[in-house]
Amino acid sequence: MKAHADDVLGGALPDGVLNDPADIVRTALDGIEAGKIEIVADGFGAAAKASLAGDPRPFVLESSSAG
């Protein structure tokens, strides 16, 4: 995927955005071995999932008046 992203985006992705495939596979196999029913293998996905389990106050929704 890195080569594809470099070709399509001209190398515009910052370092650390793409995961090492070996880390993804290792996390997946560890999760399967542990009997997990859900495996989140990338850092951004794990952070998003963790934020959903927390206090919703940081996600302030602004209302717009229909007018």
Side-chain angles (χ1 to χ4, degrees):
M1 291 307 291
K2 181 166 178 19
H4 175 71
D6 286 345
D7 288 344
V8 173
L9 301 172
L13 292 175
D15 290 338
V17 170
L18 297 177
N19 298 293
D20 182 348
D23 291 339
I24 299 295
V25 172
R26 187 177 307 107
T27 301
L29 292 175
D30 289 347
I32 291 168
E33 185 176 24
K36 292 185 177 181
I37 60 168
E38 180 180 35
I39 301 166
V40 181
D42 68 287
F44 290 113
K49 183 171 175 62
S51 72
L52 293 173
D55 185 358
R57 278 179 273 204
F59 301 100
V60 176
L61 299 178
E62 294 181 20
S63 62
S64 61
S65 32

